[in-house]
Amino acid sequence: MRTTHILIVDDIPQNLTAMEALLAQDGVTLLTASSGAQALELLLQYDVALALLDVQMPEMDGFTLAELMRGSSRTRHVPIMFLTASPDDPARSFKGYETGAVDFLHKPIEPRVILGKVSVFIQLHRQRLELERRNEQLERALELNQTMMAVLTHDLRTPLSAITLCADRLIDETEGSPLKRTASFVQTSAARMSRMIEQMLDFSRIRSATLVVDPQAADLGEVCDEVVAETRRAHPGRTISLSTAGDLRGSFDVVRMGQVVGNLLGNAVQHGEGAEISVHADGTRADVLAFSVRNAGRIPDALLPRLFEPFKGAFNPSTGLGLGLYIVDQFVRAHDGGVHAENSESGVRFEVQLPRRRKTALDREVS
C-alpha cells in the first residue's frame, strides 16, 4: 500500500511534536514544517492527503499559505484544516473557509476529534488514488481494444471485397439458375458485414478522438435526395417520400452528413413496420439547417433515454451492432448540432439540426 502524506505546519516545535505523536500510524508519513516557505517546498515534493495549518505564524500566516495553495494547480485539491489558539471568532472562521478550508479547529483540540477527522481524509485520499489507478488501467485497456478493433476491421475489408466481387459475378453468371438466389444471399450478407465494419471503424475513430470533419459548401437537399434514391434502390418495396423547404445550402461534411441521413433511413426501414417513410429537409431558418425522418412504430419508453448509446444490443434486442444511432449522434455533435427522437401519434420522428455555417475556433473564442 502506498504511504499517505499528511502535512503539519506550525511555528512552535512543541506543537509539531505533539501532533506527530497523536497522528502517527501505519501507512501514514507526517511531513512537518515550521513556516509557510518550508510547507510550500514540501508540497512541491509530495502528494498530500491533508494539510493542517496553524493560523498565526510569522512572515506567512496560515491564511496566506492557504491562498497560495489554492492558486497552484498542483495543490488546489489538497484539503486544508486550520488550527488556532485564538478565541472563537466567527470572522476569522469565515476567512478560513473563504480561503478553501474544510474545517477550523480551536486549541486545545480534543484528540479523538482530530483523529476522526484526519482518518476520514486519509481514506478519501486513498480512494481517490485507487480510482485514478483503475481509470488509468481502463484507459489503457480501452486504447488497446480500439487499436485492435481498427486493425481487425481494416484487415477484414480485403477478403470481404473479394467475397462481394465473387457474389456479383455469380449473380451475373447464374441468371435463371437456382444458384442465383444463393449468390444473392451472399451478396446481401457481404453488404451487411461491410456496413458493420464501417460502423466499427467509425466507432474506433470517435472513441480515439481521430474523427475528422471536413465542412464544405453543399446542399442538404441534394444529400437527402441522393441517400433516399440509394435507399429506394436497395429496398424497392418500400415507399420513401422526400420533401424540402427553403434554402438548404450550408457548410457541412457531405460524406458524414450522408451517413447520418443513411443511418436514420436504415433505422426507419428496419423498424418502420413496412409503412411509408417520410423525409423532410428544412432550410427556412437563417442560421439552421434541419431534416427529419418519420416512420411508423414506437420507441419503447425505457429505450428512449438511451437511444443514442453505443452497443444497445446489450440491453435491447437488435439485429446489428447497435452503433447506427450512436454514430448519427456523434457526427451531428461534430457539426455543433443536435439530434433528438420522439414518439407521436403518427409514429416515430427523428430530427437533426445543425448550424448553417459551422463555427471555427476563432468564432468560439469571440463568442
Side-chain angles (χ1 to χ4, degrees), residues 337-355:
V339 56
H340 79 275
E342 62 184 5
N343 291 313
S344 65
E345 294 182 359
S346 58
V348 175
R349 179 176 178 271
F350 286 85
E351 183 180 44
V352 171
Q353 293 189 12
L354 58 148

Side-chain angles (χ1 to χ4, degrees), residues 251-268:
S251 177
F252 52 86
D253 188 314
V254 175
V255 174
R256 300 302 185 196
M257 204 48 56
Q259 288 178 266
V260 169
V261 179
N263 283 5
L264 290 178
L265 268 177
N267 181 77

Side-chain angles (χ1 to χ4, degrees), residues 47-314:
D47 180 25
V48 175
L50 175 67
L52 301 169
L53 310 184
D54 183 36
V55 172
Q56 294 176 308
M57 294 187 294
E59 297 181 5
M60 184 188 302
D61 63 15
F63 294 142
T64 304
L65 176 56
E67 290 175 355
L68 291 173
M69 290 174 62
R70 288 292 174 259
S72 170
S73 59
R74 176 178 172 81
T75 56
R76 64 167 55 107
H77 70 279
V78 176
I80 296 173
M81 190 179 297
F82 281 119
L83 309 176
T84 180
S86 299
D88 189 0
D89 182 357
R92 291 175 65 83
S93 298
F94 288 138
K95 183 177 180 180
Y97 291 124
E98 286 175 355
T99 58
V102 296
D103 211 339
F104 203 107
L105 301 180
H106 295 268
K107 302 174 183 177
I109 300 168
E110 170 62 39
R112 289 176 298 180
V113 171
I114 193 168
L115 275 172
K117 292 177 181 290
V118 169
S119 296
V120 169
F121 287 104
I122 290 173
Q123 292 301 318
L124 288 173
H125 181 72
R126 289 172 176 169
Q127 290 172 7
R128 179 176 67 83
L129 292 179
E130 178 63 18
L131 285 173
E132 290 177 354
R133 185 186 67 82
R134 293 186 180 183
N135 283 339
E136 288 176 0
Q137 290 179 339
L138 288 172
E139 286 175 1
R140 286 197 296 270
L142 180 60
E143 184 178 351
L144 178 60
N145 287 340
Q146 290 169 350
T147 301
M148 291 180 63
M149 186 187 304
V151 172
L152 180 61
T153 50
H154 182 271
D155 290 347
L156 283 173
R157 295 170 108 179
T158 300
L160 184 60
S161 297
I163 293 172
T164 302
L165 289 172
C166 291
D168 292 342
R169 183 170 180 179
L170 281 172
I171 290 174
D172 293 337
E173 294 184 356
T174 56
E175 187 67 39
S177 168
L179 286 176
K180 181 176 181 179
R181 185 179 180 187
T182 302
S184 297
F185 285 152
V186 174
Q187 184 187 52
T188 302
S189 297
R192 180 168 174 265
M193 183 174 289
S194 179
R195 288 193 298 271
M196 293 171 71
I197 290 174
E198 288 299 324
Q199 287 184 344
M200 294 295 283
L201 283 172
D202 286 333
F203 177 77
S204 178
R205 295 185 189 105
I206 291 167
R207 286 303 178 97
S208 60
T210 59
L211 176 67
V212 177
V213 174
D214 182 24
Q216 297 179 359
D219 190 301
L220 182 61
E222 293 178 359
V223 173
C224 290
D225 184 60
E226 182 178 334
V227 176
V228 167
E230 188 177 294
T231 307
R232 285 170 178 160
R233 288 193 296 270
H235 304 276
R238 300 301 299 268
T239 301
I240 305 175
S241 64
L242 171 64
S243 59
T244 61
D247 181 6
L248 292 166
R249 292 172 298 177
S251 177
F252 52 86
D253 188 314
V254 175
V255 174
R256 300 302 185 196
M257 204 48 56
Q259 288 178 266
V260 169
V261 179
N263 283 5
L264 290 178
L265 268 177
N267 181 77
V269 169
Q270 181 179 352
H271 301 288
E273 301 176 352
E276 179 181 354
I277 299 169
S278 301
V279 180
H280 177 69
D282 184 1
T284 57
R285 285 175 284 180
D287 299 327
V288 177
L289 291 176
F291 73 90
S292 61
V293 178
R294 294 176 181 269
N295 59 269
R298 180 177 178 81
I299 302 170
D301 293 337
L303 177 60
L304 202 54
R306 306 182 63 182
L307 194 60
F308 297 102
E309 293 183 14
F311 299 115
K312 290 185 291 300

